[in-house]
Coordinates of all heavy atoms in Angstrom, one line a residue:
V1066 N 50.8 -128.1 -90.2 CA 52.0 -128.1 -91.0 C 53.1 -129.1 -90.5 O 53.7 -129.8 -91.2 CB 52.6 -126.7 -91.2 CG1 53.9 -126.8 -92.0 CG2 51.6 -125.8 -91.9
L1067 N 53.2 -129.1 -89.1 CA 54.2 -130.0 -88.5 C 53.9 -131.4 -88.8 O 54.8 -132.2 -89.2 CB 54.3 -129.7 -87.0 CG 54.9 -128.4 -86.6 CD1 55.0 -128.4 -85.1 CD2 56.3 -128.1 -87.2
H1068 N 52.6 -131.8 -88.6 CA 52.3 -133.2 -88.9 C 52.5 -133.6 -90.4 O 52.9 -134.7 -90.8 CB 50.8 -133.5 -88.4 CG 49.8 -133.7 -89.5 ND1 49.7 -134.9 -90.2 CD2 49.0 -132.8 -90.1 CE1 48.7 -134.7 -91.2 NE2 48.3 -133.5 -91.1
L1069 N 52.2 -132.6 -91.3 CA 52.3 -132.8 -92.7 C 53.8 -133.0 -93.0 O 54.1 -133.9 -93.9 CB 51.8 -131.6 -93.4 CG 51.8 -131.6 -95.0 CD1 50.7 -132.6 -95.5 CD2 51.5 -130.2 -95.5
L1070 N 54.7 -132.4 -92.4 CA 56.1 -132.5 -92.6 C 56.7 -133.9 -92.1 O 57.7 -134.3 -92.6 CB 56.9 -131.4 -91.9 CG 56.8 -130.0 -92.6 CD1 57.3 -128.9 -91.6 CD2 57.7 -130.0 -93.9
C1071 N 56.0 -134.5 -91.2 CA 56.4 -135.8 -90.7 C 56.3 -136.8 -91.8 O 55.4 -136.7 -92.6 CB 55.7 -136.2 -89.4 SG 56.0 -135.1 -88.0
D1072 N 57.1 -137.9 -91.7 CA 57.0 -138.9 -92.8 C 55.7 -139.7 -92.7 O 55.2 -140.1 -93.8 CB 58.2 -139.8 -92.7 CG 59.5 -139.0 -92.8 OD1 59.8 -138.5 -93.9 OD2 60.3 -139.0 -91.8
L1073 N 55.2 -139.9 -91.5 CA 54.0 -140.8 -91.3 C 53.2 -140.1 -90.3 O 53.7 -139.4 -89.4 CB 54.4 -142.2 -90.9 CG 55.3 -143.0 -91.8 CD1 55.9 -144.2 -91.0 CD2 54.6 -143.5 -93.0
T1074 N 51.9 -140.3 -90.4 CA 50.9 -139.7 -89.4 C 50.0 -140.8 -88.9 O 49.3 -141.4 -89.7 CB 50.2 -138.5 -89.9 OG1 51.1 -137.5 -90.2 CG2 49.2 -138.0 -88.8
I1075 N 49.9 -141.0 -87.6 CA 48.9 -141.9 -87.0 C 48.1 -141.0 -86.1 O 48.6 -140.3 -85.3 CB 49.6 -143.1 -86.2 CG1 50.5 -143.9 -87.2 CG2 48.5 -144.0 -85.6 CD1 51.3 -145.0 -86.5
A1076 N 46.8 -141.1 -86.2 CA 45.9 -140.2 -85.5 C 44.9 -141.0 -84.6 O 44.5 -142.1 -85.0 CB 45.1 -139.3 -86.5
S1077 N 44.6 -140.4 -83.5 CA 43.5 -140.9 -82.7 C 42.2 -140.5 -83.3 O 42.1 -139.6 -84.1 CB 43.6 -140.4 -81.3 OG 43.0 -139.1 -81.2
E1078 N 41.1 -141.2 -82.9 CA 39.8 -141.0 -83.5 C 39.3 -139.6 -83.1 O 38.4 -139.0 -83.7 CB 38.8 -142.0 -83.0 CG 39.1 -143.4 -83.5 CD 38.1 -144.4 -82.9 OE1 37.7 -144.2 -81.7 OE2 37.9 -145.5 -83.5
T1079 N 39.9 -139.0 -82.0 CA 39.5 -137.7 -81.6 C 40.3 -136.5 -82.2 O 40.0 -135.4 -81.9 CB 39.7 -137.6 -80.0 OG1 41.1 -137.8 -79.8 CG2 38.9 -138.6 -79.3
A1080 N 41.2 -136.8 -83.1 CA 42.0 -135.8 -83.8 C 41.2 -134.9 -84.7 O 40.2 -135.4 -85.3 CB 43.1 -136.4 -84.5
K1081 N 41.6 -133.7 -84.8 CA 41.0 -132.7 -85.7 C 42.1 -132.0 -86.5 O 43.1 -131.6 -85.9 CB 40.2 -131.6 -84.9 CG 39.0 -132.2 -84.2 CD 37.8 -132.6 -85.1 CE 36.6 -133.0 -84.3 NZ 35.5 -133.4 -85.2
F1082 N 41.8 -131.8 -87.8 CA 42.8 -131.2 -88.6 C 42.3 -130.0 -89.3 O 41.1 -129.9 -89.6 CB 43.3 -132.2 -89.7 CG 43.9 -133.5 -89.1 CD1 43.1 -134.5 -88.7 CD2 45.2 -133.6 -89.0 CE1 43.6 -135.7 -88.2 CE2 45.8 -134.8 -88.5 CZ 45.0 -135.8 -88.1
G1083 N 43.2 -129.0 -89.6 CA 42.8 -127.8 -90.3 C 43.8 -126.7 -90.3 O 44.8 -126.8 -89.5
Q1084 N 43.5 -125.7 -91.1 CA 44.4 -124.5 -91.1 C 43.5 -123.3 -90.5 O 42.3 -123.3 -90.6 CB 44.8 -124.2 -92.5 CG 45.9 -125.2 -93.1 CD 47.1 -125.2 -92.3 OE1 47.8 -126.3 -92.3 NE2 47.5 -124.2 -91.6
N1085 N 44.3 -122.3 -90.0 CA 43.6 -121.2 -89.4 C 44.2 -119.9 -89.7 O 43.7 -118.8 -89.3 CB 43.6 -121.4 -87.8 CG 42.6 -120.6 -87.1 OD1 41.4 -120.6 -87.6 ND2 42.9 -120.0 -86.0
G1086 N 45.3 -119.9 -90.5 CA 46.0 -118.7 -90.8 C 45.2 -117.5 -91.3 O 45.3 -116.4 -90.7
P1087 N 44.5 -117.7 -92.4 CA 43.7 -116.5 -92.9 C 42.7 -116.0 -91.9 O 42.2 -114.8 -92.1 CB 43.0 -117.1 -94.1 CG 43.9 -118.3 -94.6 CD 44.4 -118.8 -93.3
R1088 N 42.3 -116.7 -90.9 CA 41.4 -116.2 -89.9 C 42.1 -115.3 -88.9 O 41.4 -114.5 -88.3 CB 40.7 -117.4 -89.2 CG 39.6 -117.0 -88.2 CD 38.9 -118.2 -87.7 NE 38.0 -118.9 -88.6 CZ 38.0 -120.1 -89.0 NH1 39.0 -120.9 -88.5 NH2 37.2 -120.6 -89.9
V1089 N 43.4 -115.5 -88.7 CA 44.1 -114.8 -87.7 C 45.2 -113.9 -88.3 O 46.0 -113.4 -87.5 CB 44.7 -115.7 -86.6 CG1 43.7 -116.5 -85.9 CG2 45.7 -116.6 -87.2
G1090 N 45.1 -113.6 -89.6 CA 46.1 -112.7 -90.2 C 47.5 -113.4 -90.3 O 48.5 -112.8 -90.0
S1091 N 47.5 -114.6 -90.8 CA 48.7 -115.3 -91.0 C 48.6 -116.3 -92.1 O 47.5 -116.5 -92.7 CB 49.1 -116.0 -89.7 OG 50.4 -116.7 -89.8
F1092 N 49.7 -116.9 -92.5 CA 49.7 -118.0 -93.6 C 51.0 -118.7 -93.5 O 52.0 -118.3 -93.0 CB 49.5 -117.3 -95.0 CG 50.4 -116.2 -95.3 CD1 51.7 -116.4 -95.7 CD2 50.0 -114.9 -95.2 CE1 52.6 -115.4 -96.0 CE2 50.9 -113.8 -95.5 CZ 52.2 -114.1 -95.9
D1093 N 51.0 -119.9 -94.2 CA 52.3 -120.7 -94.4 C 52.2 -121.1 -95.8 O 51.6 -122.1 -96.2 CB 52.3 -121.9 -93.4 CG 53.7 -122.6 -93.5 OD1 54.2 -122.7 -94.7 OD2 54.1 -123.1 -92.5
A1094 N 52.9 -120.3 -96.6 CA 52.8 -120.5 -98.1 C 54.0 -121.3 -98.7 O 54.3 -121.2 -99.9 CB 52.7 -119.2 -98.8
G1095 N 54.7 -122.1 -97.9 CA 55.8 -122.9 -98.4 C 55.4 -124.3 -98.4 O 54.6 -124.8 -99.2
F1096 N 55.9 -125.1 -97.4 CA 55.6 -126.5 -97.3 C 54.1 -126.7 -97.0 O 53.4 -127.6 -97.4 CB 56.4 -127.2 -96.2 CG 57.8 -127.4 -96.6 CD1 58.8 -126.8 -95.9 CD2 58.2 -128.2 -97.7 CE1 60.2 -127.0 -96.3 CE2 59.5 -128.5 -98.1 CZ 60.5 -127.8 -97.3
G1097 N 53.5 -125.7 -96.3 CA 52.1 -125.8 -95.8 C 51.1 -125.8 -97.0 O 50.0 -126.3 -96.8
T1098 N 51.5 -125.2 -98.1 CA 50.6 -125.3 -99.3 C 51.1 -126.3 -100.3 O 50.4 -127.2 -100.7 CB 50.6 -123.9 -100.0 OG1 51.9 -123.4 -100.2 CG2 49.8 -122.9 -99.1
G1099 N 52.4 -126.2 -100.7 CA 52.9 -127.1 -101.8 C 52.9 -128.5 -101.4 O 52.5 -129.4 -102.2
L1100 N 53.4 -128.8 -100.2 CA 53.5 -130.2 -99.8 C 52.1 -130.8 -99.5 O 51.8 -132.0 -99.8 CB 54.3 -130.3 -98.5 CG 54.8 -131.7 -98.1 CD1 55.7 -132.3 -99.2 CD2 55.6 -131.7 -96.8

């Protein structure tokens, strides 16, 4: 979510992206979904 909120994202080839909330009993249902 933090990278999503940034205006620009530059990633290394080794970067991995994803969400994990529903796996650990959590969620981000504001910017994390809508944006």
